[in-house]
Amino acid sequence: MSDELFEQALQVELVKRIDAVSSYTNKDFGHISKIEWVVFLLIGLFIPGLLVWWAA
Amino acid sequence: MSMTIEERIREEALFGRLPLLKEEREYSTRGIISTGFTYAVAAWCFLIGGYSANVVGAVQGIVTLVCGCTIGVIMSAAASALACNRYGLEQIDYTKSCYGQRGARLILLFYIINQIGWTGMILVMFGKGVTNVALGLGFDGGENLVRMCVLAGLIVGYWVINKGVHVLNVFNSIVFPGLLIVTGFLYWAIFKSADWATICAQPPIAPQDPGLNYILSFEYGLGAGFSWWPGIGFLTRNTDTQRNSLYPQVLTMGFGMGVVCCTGLLAGLVFRSYDPTVWMIKVGGPLFGVLSLLLVAIANVSASAMMMYTAALALRHVGMFRALPWGKLTLLGFIPVMAYVVTPSKLYDGGSAFLAYNATMFAPISAVLLVDYFWLRRGRINVSQVFEDDPAGHYWFWNGFNLPALFCAFFGMGLYIWLLNPVTYEAHGPVRWLTASGPATILPMLLYALLASLFLVGKKGGYGETVEALPLRKSNL
């Protein structure tokens, strides 16, 4: 198998994959809602930030 | 036996730059949590904890390490994790949508510095471990033994990554449970040696400026969290949902890593040395101490091989290296690490500066990415344009560079260094109240939002344009 043949196949595969991933929607991987973001940021940023302020 | 085209393409998708399809994703919740812990429970955690023990006591150290790691991972992971997951993209490829086709190569430089720096650090730690074990057995190998160990670690690492990822997986299957046991054992041994009140009463080992110690420890935690930036895309493109691309990373590489770092902090405070290769023998005694060190040594070689593997993959973004055979490409990554063979102790002793420097590099880079992906692009990019090298492509900006984004990232780095020089610890401005990472994150974010609205949106960069696949004029793969 020549590298040239592989390069050609790679470019064809790239275009196929770009088409596929471009068609993905929120349903494909799930969607993090705004409420979920708020809770996540509260737990992940605000509370640790508060703890750092407290321990200072 | 040579691989078929299908097999090579599959490998290119898994470990190269082809977007990974939904059905190819390997990590569900359980998979990504266990992989995340495998990464997080690494030997450098003991070292990071030791750096904090130099400047703060137990309570402040625990808070700054656990919270710093968690915040650092959230800031560095949020944009990259969601984008790499949704589009199956490799980290630097995703970065092109923000910094431009050529601008992303500048970011690649910081990526490689991170990988090389950590590889060198943990290989010297491996060398120091072996030297201390030898010293315990009556043989003083000194600096030369450390050098030989670093070189040996590099050779083994090179062999491993040229044998393929499956060898790394074999290493990791031994190392991860071993390190978990060592961590548990160390906690037990520390609390057997001293009760909580005694540990809390221990002063820092080598404090700096009184007003700065706490900030330094917090920056170490943040630096440890931000250090994951280069590895995030490699993992999250392989996850099956948006939630699994983000939450497990925060839990494992953020919170989990912070907890493991605390082992190094507490042991450092009790046994009065920041260096795990010194305190591990004191904690575990001649038998368990040496066994722990040996396991850490194996872990270090394994982790260094993993980092050099991802560094070599990243080098494929550079046109002149793209066609190089894998053996030569990986060798290229190892050359700068040779500095650690020449002056291992000097570079090892400057490790805390390197740790803080990770926040210097990746806090502003992540800040600009957050604004670009969530605010300006509303969480959508055009994947076809990521692979488009033609000047008419969306992500070509100005000659391949998104100048406002790069300016803001470099402004943030300069601001960080002015606020807190990670090498000299010289501090200016409001660093004692606001930290260095805080302003170096927030100000580039605000500045980029302003500059992008003036110079980019509706003009360059494909903001607001279609995200549907466009025909490729000139592929960069």
Side-chain angles (χ1 to χ4, degrees):
Chain A
M1 181 187 66
S2 72
D3 281 347
E4 200 176 318
L5 202 62
F6 171 68
E7 281 302 319
Q8 283 173 10
L10 193 65
Q11 295 304 326
V12 173
E13 185 67 21
L14 173 65
V15 173
K16 271 165 55 181
R17 283 172 182 262
I18 286 172
D19 286 340
V21 297
S22 298
S23 68
Y24 291 151
T25 64
N26 282 344
K27 284 181 186 165
D28 287 296
F29 295 105
H31 179 64
I32 299 176
S33 66
K34 281 183 182 165
I35 296 286
E36 206 174 330
W37 269 114
V38 171
V39 174
F40 170 67
L41 293 177
L42 268 177
I43 296 171
L45 290 183
F46 183 71
I47 294 176
L50 213 59
L51 275 171
V52 170
W53 174 76
W54 164 78
Chain B
M1 198 172 70
S2 65
M3 289 192 292
T4 63
I5 287 188
E6 286 75 20
E7 284 169 338
R8 282 183 72 180
I9 291 211
R10 167 86 180 138
E11 191 160 293
E12 187 63 31
L14 272 179
F15 306 111
R17 294 181 48 214
L18 279 178
L20 210 54
L21 301 175
K22 187 174 186 286
E23 56 273 20
E24 292 171 328
R25 314 292 174 94
E26 288 180 351
Y27 298 138
S28 57
T29 308
R30 190 187 292 180
I32 190 65
I33 285 179
S34 62
T35 307
F37 272 123
T38 311
Y39 277 70
V41 184
W44 50 63
C45 294
F46 304 130
L47 202 53
I48 294 166
Y51 294 143
S52 274
N54 271 338
V55 289
V56 291
V59 174
Q60 288 196 329
I62 290 170
V63 171
T64 49
L65 285 174
V66 175
C67 296
C69 285
T70 306
I71 293 171
V73 168
I74 289 177
M75 296 302 288
S76 64
S80 302
L82 296 189
C84 293
N85 164 261
R86 177 161 181 138
Y87 299 108
L89 286 174
E90 191 271 334
Q91 177 99 349
I92 292 293
D93 271 326
Y94 152 65
T95 308
K96 288 172 181 170
S97 68
C98 175
Y99 289 100
Q101 292 289 350
R102 289 176 175 166
R105 287 181 209 161
L106 290 177
I107 306 300
L108 177 69
L109 191 68
F110 298 112
Y111 180 118
I112 305 268
I113 290 172
N114 170 283
Q115 304 285 292
I116 287 169
W118 276 119
T119 302
M121 287 296 297
I122 57 178
L123 282 179
V124 178
M125 188 178 158
F126 157 62
K128 293 235 171 209
V130 172
T131 307
N132 286 340
V133 170
L135 202 61
L137 298 171
F139 172 71
D140 184 5
E143 185 89 338
N144 282 335
L145 184 57
V146 179
R147 287 193 180 103
M148 281 164 62
C149 290
V150 175
L151 191 62
L154 283 174
I155 293 167
V156 174
Y158 181 72
W159 175 78
V160 167
I161 60 176
N162 278 283
K163 277 283 167 189
V165 174
H166 61 280
V167 181
L168 276 172
N169 290 338
V170 172
F171 262 87
N172 284 339
S173 65
I174 304 165
V175 164
F176 171 60
L179 280 180
L180 215 57
I181 292 167
V182 166
T183 304
F185 166 74
L186 288 174
Y187 266 118
W188 174 78
I190 290 164
F191 283 101
K192 194 169 164 274
S193 304
D195 58 25
W196 178 240
T198 311
I199 295 173
C200 287
Q202 294 294 326
I205 304 166
Q208 307 276 327
D209 175 344
L212 212 57
N213 291 320
Y214 184 68
I215 294 297
L216 275 177
S217 183
F218 187 44
E219 291 294 340
Y220 293 155
L222 288 168
F226 278 115
S227 289
W228 289 116
W229 186 86
I232 292 290
F234 185 72
L235 283 177
T236 57
R237 71 196 284 261
N238 221 333
T239 51
D240 61 349
T241 65
Q242 292 269 283
R243 289 183 181 89
N244 281 339
S245 75
L246 183 60
Y247 302 152
Q249 273 56 258
V250 178
L251 181 70
T252 58
M253 296 169 171
F255 183 79
M257 186 193 191
V259 171
V260 181
C261 286
C262 291
T263 326
L265 166 81
L266 301 182
L269 287 169
V270 173
F271 297 96
R272 312 308 295 165
S273 171
Y274 85 92
D275 189 347
T277 65
V278 174
W279 59 249
M280 220 169 252
I281 292 177
K282 290 181 183 172
V283 177
L287 179 64
F288 289 107
V290 167
L291 281 177
S292 303
L293 268 182
L294 283 177
L295 190 82
V296 168
I298 298 169
N300 284 352
V301 173
S302 163
S304 64
M306 188 68 215
M307 280 187 293
M308 293 318 289
Y309 185 91
T310 52
L313 280 180
L315 281 175
R316 280 188 168 163
H317 287 278
V318 183
M320 60 192 285
F321 301 143
R322 203 170 294 152
L324 271 184
W326 181 244
K328 286 184 182 167
L329 189 71
T330 48
L331 195 61
L332 209 63
F334 277 95
I335 292 169
V337 192
M338 291 301 285
Y340 285 86
V341 179
V342 181
T343 53
S345 293
K346 196 176 175 190
L347 291 170
Y348 187 72
D349 292 340
S352 59
F354 173 68
L355 182 60
Y357 192 66
N358 278 290
T360 316
M361 290 187 285
F362 296 118
I365 288 173
S366 307
V368 173
L369 282 169
L370 286 169
V371 172
D372 193 82
Y373 186 69
F374 289 110
W375 179 258
L376 300 171
R377 298 196 187 277
R378 308 282 172 195
R380 297 286 177 274
I381 61 170
N382 191 318
V383 186
S384 67
Q385 298 306 289
V386 167
F387 295 93
E388 179 59 83
D389 230 10
D390 190 89
H394 286 185
Y395 307 138
W396 190 253
F397 298 96
W398 287 272
N399 209 21
F401 298 92
N402 181 357
L403 297 177
L406 287 165
F407 172 77
C408 293
F410 287 120
F411 164 73
M413 290 178 201
L415 180 66
Y416 187 112
I417 293 169
W418 178 73
L419 285 166
L420 178 65
N421 187 319
V423 179
T424 61
Y425 297 122
E426 197 181 332
H428 292 103
V431 66
R432 288 176 176 81
W433 302 278
L434 298 176
T435 74
S437 292
T441 305
I442 305 289
L443 289 180
M445 278 174 123
L446 296 174
L447 186 61
Y448 183 57
L450 175 71
L451 293 180
S453 65
L454 290 174
F455 300 110
L456 294 172
V457 179
K459 299 178 182 94
K460 277 181 188 291
Y463 296 94
E465 290 186 33
T466 180
V467 291
E468 285 184 18
L470 300 170
L472 283 181
R473 297 180 183 92
K474 187 182 170 192
S475 164
N476 63 21
L477 185 69

